[in-house]
Amino acid sequence: MSDSWRQTRRLLMAALGALTVFYLLAPTLVIVPMSFTEASILSFPPEGFSTRWYEQMLTRPEWSTGLRNSALVATLTAILATLLGTLAALGMTRGRFPGRSLVNGLALSPLIVPVVIIAIGMFSLFVQWRISGSIVGLVLAHTALALPFVIVNVATSLRTMDRNLELAAANLGATPARSFLRITLPIIFPGVLAGAIFSFITSWDEVVVAIFLTSARFRTLPVEMWEQVRQVVDPTVAAVATTLLVVTTGLLLLLLVVRRQAPAR
Amino acid sequence: MTSAKGASGGRPSDGRALVLRDLVKRFGDVPAVDGVDLEVRDGEFLTLLGPSGSGKTTTLRMIAGFMTQTSGTIEIGGTDMTRIPPYRRDVGMVFQNYALFPHMTAGQNVAFPLEMRRLARPEINRRVGEALALVRLESLAGRYPRQLSGGQQQRIALARAVVFSPRLLLMDEPLGALDKKLREALQLEIVRVSRELGATVIYVTHDQEEALVMSDRIAIFKNGRIEQLGSGEDLYDRPVSMFVADFIGESSILRGRLERAADGAYLSRNGSRWRVDEATLARAALADGTAGALVVRPERMRIGGPDEKPPAGSNAVEATVSAVLYLGSDRKYELALPDGERAVVRQQLGGGEREWQRGDRVTLWWPVESGVLVADASA
Amino acid sequence: MVADSAARGIERPGRPRGPALDRWAVLVLPAVLFLVVFFLAPLVTMSLRSLTDPPDAGLSNYAKFFSQEAYIRVLTNTFWIAFISTLTCLVIGYPYAYLMTIVPGRVAGLLLIAVLLPFWSSLLVRTFAWQVILRDTGIINSFLLNVGVISGPIPLIRTTAGVIVGMSHVLLPFMVLPIYAVMRRIDPEFGRAAANLGASPWRAFIRVFMPLTLPGVLAGALLVFVLALGFYITPALLGGLRDQMISQLIVQQVQQRLDWGFASAMAVLLMGITFAFLFVASRLVRLRDVFGSALEE
């Protein structure tokens, strides 16, 4: 094997990697500069610099209420899913009960069933229950979609936790409740936080179920964007897209930081 | 710590810190602990010693309350513990992997049991300071466990286990993860701390040297039962079985069949015939004709030249040196006996003894009364 | 110590038997109940609706689907697009995952973040981006026009290629992560061992390394294919009329025709196909590996 061939191969691999990273990141990132254009049509490269489309987003009622609704739904979803999911993960990793694999399958299936099917199924039933087109219905739907992420993340941190720590806590005089609050919870916290963040993002970005379960009076940001994208596209959509992106990325980076600072086991 | 007699914790007791009666633990049909009886005195350092799977750790975990016994009773300080959950048993425990809480500093770890007992903050601070001083780690109170070495972590774990003056201190192979030098230093440290506190310690290990160095008494575990209970000297000088003889220290185990002749008892096999004195025979309580083994410790045996005449009252045999091991302070010889058995002889250096080589023909002898007769379980 | 650990396993069965274990199991109940009511019940109701809407429907909704060539074509098209997307992801994802295992840890971390960031960012936003790039007045066409390579816009959007580009972009992380997870567990000494036995590096790669990565490839391909079957947003925004996938057809029936029975029947069909693939695949790979690797971090 000659050196020059090795050199070429190395260059080839690097080029391939760079291209793939470009394919992964660049398309999404072009939206960011485009959202700051002065022109009233989307163009690349953008002309001038202006924040007028962000002003539009914050002042035009359909966008601003959408933003508020999205934040509210995502927050409530994160709270509900984290609560239910953390309890379930505790039960699934610690408890013994019949039909374990069935529960496992049920907990993961929201990831597997195509989201369009979930959407029309929920829509048809939620209409009868009169919770379609309301914040309640959407939060419940998004919680179902987000639960697997919480369960998997919390269960993983529970499984990797040293069980002797809880024995030690009991031995040192901690009742089960205090042992959970003082020892278990702080140690699995990174997993719980990851679950909460993934729940928030799941709801924040979700559009298909939201298309069905929202109404003209109650819309989230992605649904509003979906309506616009199919018609005339003005740069406000780019501003909205950038906003969605920034929130998601910010939360993920937060998660990375927390993971890095979490005490080693 | 305020109450120097941490062991009794001020409760009325009859001098027995722990009593186990016919303790049994089965997993399914498999007995892990199969009828253990044990009494531990206040302030005693007792070691549960045995190979893996012999039930010592299960016994310890039942004492701590981490698992419930299948049958039998556990009494701590005269109180039956069967229905008492671990967090109300008031026993301290040191785990093999330390089990320090990773999200708390060393000081917070040590304070934890006191906080669980809802002591006042000044009292907590004072006692944490004392406990850390006891293990000589006052300066590291603010460090997190991951910033401490293995030995330091173990000392913090020890401080955490004694800071609340528990009635018992349980230790589950606490030094298993450390290297030899550190282990030896910490053995002395643990003994010092427990003596200073007057604590009653139940110590689990599979390292017989560790057990001999640290313990007042040792309980040898085999197949879920206590095979022998006694001081290190008892176990070393008077093992009750081949298992104990083999597990504690080193020995030559010379098997044979017990027979009685006009001039006394003998253990014989393949032409070799070892004299067994009356006292030894009485202790063993073996019937004529049964399979037995004579256990002789290596330092009781002597080697001489092929023509050397052993003193009277000795068992003697001609043997061949099959291996020589130089151990620094002494030299160990392995000898092949004519009957196919193997003997180990330890010779202290510096006495001007003659040095033997592999293949040398020698005479091996030992005083008749220095052998211990046990039943031959393998026969 | 080490030798003791096996025995410890026996000695430490965790919880004592008896009532204590049910206390833990109870914690599963709220989530299970929640999913049964708000997730399972809708799916079951929908399945029933495929048989009872109209009231005397029976299997007629299903018969309707299979009797019309246009519907069958949507189904085959769905498979075709899912298949091509899977292939595309494999071709791009395999070398990328391999690259992640051979570069220094820092670079590997960055490459991983490059996969994870889009993985978690909005599908709608990403599809919108492709729309902006691919459409007739989009970035590519206006660039080519400006440079003068072409005289009129070339069709990129509303084509099958457009759908594939957009879907592969969304699905690529699902291919990369399982393959990377498997590759990372392979002993890096494999090459040296193979070379020691006289294999050239290339042969060692083909004969030793690639077979070892097969579980990851299968897991990734399965995941991508199954997810691709249910895509809706991307083909709706980037595809033309002839690129319609079954999810679009379902939505169309609900929103425009209000034919719930027929839509439900197609939904049941899609769900059945999805689970059938998962079932077959579960014989080949451990499903836990598939989803585990995609979910954690």
Side-chain angles (χ1 to χ4, degrees), chain C residues 89-146:
Chain C
C89 285
L90 183 61
V91 169
I92 304 175
Y94 193 89
Y96 190 79
Y98 179 62
L99 191 67
M100 281 167 75
T101 58
I102 57 171
V103 294
R106 264 195 112 71
V107 184
L110 288 176
L111 291 179
L112 186 64
I113 290 179
V115 175
L116 287 176
L117 279 185
F119 178 55
W120 280 104
S121 55
S122 163
L123 187 146
L124 177 60
V125 169
R126 287 192 281 164
T127 305
F128 164 64
W130 282 111
Q131 198 185 22
V132 170
I133 292 166
L134 297 177
R135 64 193 167 145
D136 293 350
T137 56
I139 295 175
I140 293 182
N141 270 319
S142 46
F143 175 77
L144 292 177
L145 280 170
N146 282 345

Side-chain angles (χ1 to χ4, degrees), chain A residues 111-112 114, chain C residues 78-94 119 164 166-179 216-231 245 274 277-278 281 290-291 293-294:
Chain A
L111 292 178
I112 303 161
Chain C
T78 304
F79 281 123
W80 175 245
I81 289 183
F83 176 70
I84 298 294
S85 301
T86 308
L87 214 59
T88 311
C89 285
L90 183 61
V91 169
I92 304 175
Y94 193 89
F119 178 55
I164 301 285
M167 281 179 58
S168 303
H169 183 245
V170 173
L171 291 166
L172 190 56
F174 293 96
M175 184 67 85
V176 172
L177 293 177
I179 295 181
V217 172
L218 275 176
L222 164 75
L223 199 56
V224 169
F225 186 78
V226 164
L227 290 173
L229 287 178
F231 258 53
M245 292 180 75
T274 304
F277 268 102
L278 284 175
V290 178
F291 294 104
S293 58

Side-chain angles (χ1 to χ4, degrees), chain A residues 70-95:
Chain A
S70 272
L72 190 60
V73 170
T75 307
L76 293 175
T77 298
I79 293 171
L80 188 57
T82 306
L83 204 69
L84 290 172
T86 303
L87 289 179
L90 274 165
M92 286 165 78
T93 49
R94 303 270 166 97

